[in-house]
Structures are given as C-alpha cells and as structure tokens.
Amino acid sequence: MTRTPASASSLDGKNDPAVEAAFDAASADVVAEILDGELYTMPRPRPRHARAATRLGRLLGGFDGDRSGPSTPGGWVLLDEPEIHLGPMPDKLVPDLAGWRRDRFPARELDASDDAAIAVAPDWVCEVLSERTEAIDRGKKRRIYRREGVEYLWYVDPRDRSLEVWQLHEGRWLEVETFEGDRVVAAPPFEQLELDLAALWRW
C-alpha cells in the first residue's frame, strides 16, 4: 500500500489538487482511494481475496433486482468495486461490494451522467480483509461509512474463514454476529438467504 499525504496548504475543505491529480492518474492495476484527504493505492486483490468477493456477489445475486419473492427477494442494487464519493472533500472509496436499496439508488442521475462515481452512500458495504487492507478497512473507511450513515458493514476474512456483521445504531457500530468456518448462516440485511460460508473459502 502506498500513501500520498495531502499538502498542508490545502485548507479549503476540498482535496488537495495534487492528490486529486494523482488519483486520476492511478493505473488500472491498482485500487486508488482518497481517505481523509490522503491518497492510498493498493495492488489489485490477490486471488483468494477476489474469489471470496466474487462468490459472495453471486450468492447474493437474487437480491439484485426489482422482483420480490421467496427465491428472488429483490429490492437491491448490488455492485462489485463501485467508486463512491462521499462527503464534501470528497472521500473516494472503492469497497469490495456495496448495495443500495432500490428506492435510494440514483439510477436516473447516473444514466444522465458520464461520471463513473456514485455520490449516494450505500445501505450495505462488504470489505474483504487482507494483510494489506485490514488497517484501512477497519480504520479510516469504517469511520467514513459511519459518518455517512451506512447501515450495515460486513467484513469477510478468508484467512480465518469468518464473516463479521456490524450494524449502525444511533451513530455507533454494534456487532450483530461473527460467523466462522463452514456454517450456513442468515446474516442481515439479507436474512432471507441461507448463506453457505464454505462457498466463500473453497476453490
């Protein structure tokens, strides 16, 4: 992970232009984020990390739609690695997975814009933890998600085969549950799905 601090001369409540320029110039083989005015660049996820994120997205796929029923609950827009701009500077985050309830997703605004970023905070975010990302995921990004009112935050950790579920309550993160191993679980906000954690760890 590479960190580029903001210039001390940037005091107008916006990101330092040099940081913004470095963000725009970041190559496609890294994940670039601006957090609290500083640029962070990380290599693309390792296969184990990417596999867990891909599998989870597929398992939750039934929620990604406008239908509603026992087998296709719908009601959500789910995206892999979206670029999200939050707050006035803004912070520019790329979670592994994010979801918006359909009535909150700005589809019309995005269709009418060439901007790749989404400026509405998700209702659910999932970060897949690794040695390179855990400190940022549990630190700066977690605080930004809290500030912006993200209701649910998941941490998936392929290293110890665990899923942590956190919910925002009155401005504080409360741990709902930590699931471990190969269990089949019902994890909010997607309780309608029996989620087989073993599918996240195996090849």
Side-chain angles (χ1 to χ4, degrees), residues 15 20 23-24 32-34 82-95 100 115-122 144 147-148:
N15 291 323
E20 288 282 1
F23 175 87
D24 291 337
E33 298 180 298
I34 299 177
E83 182 181 321
I84 306 171
H85 292 188
L86 301 175
M89 291 181 71
D91 293 296
K92 299 185 177 184
L93 304 94
V94 183
W100 292 257
D115 195 346
I118 301 169
V120 174
I144 293 166
R147 182 195 73 202
E148 297 298 323

Side-chain angles (χ1 to χ4, degrees), residues 23-45:
F23 175 87
D24 291 337
S27 64
D29 61 347
V30 302
V31 177
E33 298 180 298
I34 299 177
L35 310 173
D36 295 335
E38 298 181 326
L39 175 68
Y40 293 82
T41 56
M42 286 157 279
R44 302 301 302 179

Side-chain angles (χ1 to χ4, degrees), residues 54 67 82 118 135 142 187 191 197:
T54 300
R67 299 180 62 186
I118 301 169
R142 177 185 174 97
E191 300 97 329
L197 294 184

Side-chain angles (χ1 to χ4, degrees), residues 48-124:
R48 180 175 62 175
H49 180 126
R51 180 61 166 171
T54 300
R55 274 290 178 89
L56 181 58
R58 288 178 181 170
L59 291 170
L60 296 178
F63 290 88
D64 185 29
D66 55 8
R67 299 180 62 186
S68 182
S71 60
T72 54
W76 289 78
V77 174
L78 302 178
L79 296 176
D80 299 333
E81 295 191 335
E83 182 181 321
I84 306 171
H85 292 188
L86 301 175
M89 291 181 71
D91 293 296
K92 299 185 177 184
L93 304 94
V94 183
D96 289 292
L97 294 159
W100 292 257
R101 290 185 171 88
R102 291 192 68 83
D103 60 357
R104 292 190 62 253
F105 189 74
R108 290 184 180 178
E109 292 88 337
L110 292 172
D111 284 344
S113 172
D114 292 331
D115 195 346
I118 301 169
V120 174
D123 296 288
W124 166 83

Side-chain angles (χ1 to χ4, degrees), residues 42-200:
M42 286 157 279
R44 302 301 302 179
R46 292 173 177 160
R48 180 175 62 175
H49 180 126
R51 180 61 166 171
T54 300
R55 274 290 178 89
L56 181 58
R58 288 178 181 170
L59 291 170
L60 296 178
F63 290 88
D64 185 29
D66 55 8
R67 299 180 62 186
S68 182
S71 60
T72 54
W76 289 78
V77 174
L78 302 178
L79 296 176
D80 299 333
E81 295 191 335
E83 182 181 321
I84 306 171
H85 292 188
L86 301 175
M89 291 181 71
D91 293 296
K92 299 185 177 184
L93 304 94
V94 183
D96 289 292
L97 294 159
W100 292 257
R101 290 185 171 88
R102 291 192 68 83
D103 60 357
R104 292 190 62 253
F105 189 74
R108 290 184 180 178
E109 292 88 337
L110 292 172
D111 284 344
S113 172
D114 292 331
D115 195 346
I118 301 169
V120 174
D123 296 288
W124 166 83
V125 164
C126 177
E127 298 286 5
V128 180
L129 301 179
S130 70
E131 295 85 353
R132 296 180 293 189
T133 66
E134 183 169 9
I136 293 296
D137 289 337
R138 291 191 183 276
K140 288 180 179 289
K141 293 177 78 171
R142 177 185 174 97
R143 290 192 292 273
I144 293 166
Y145 294 143
R146 181 185 64 194
R147 182 195 73 202
E148 297 298 323
V150 175
E151 186 177 3
Y152 290 96
L153 174 59
W154 286 16
Y155 291 122
V156 169
D157 195 337
R159 298 166 300 177
D160 62 9
R161 296 157 54 113
S162 67
L163 164 64
E164 297 176 30
V165 178
W166 297 80
Q167 184 174 10
L168 194 65
H169 178 70
E170 296 181 352
R172 298 183 64 184
W173 287 115
L174 299 180
E175 185 177 8
V176 176
E177 184 62 271
T178 295
F179 304 103
E180 299 172 323
D182 295 341
R183 297 172 57 185
V184 176
V185 304
F190 304 114
E191 300 97 329
Q192 291 167 278
L193 172 71
E194 290 189 340
L195 178 61
D196 181 5
L197 294 184
L200 306 182

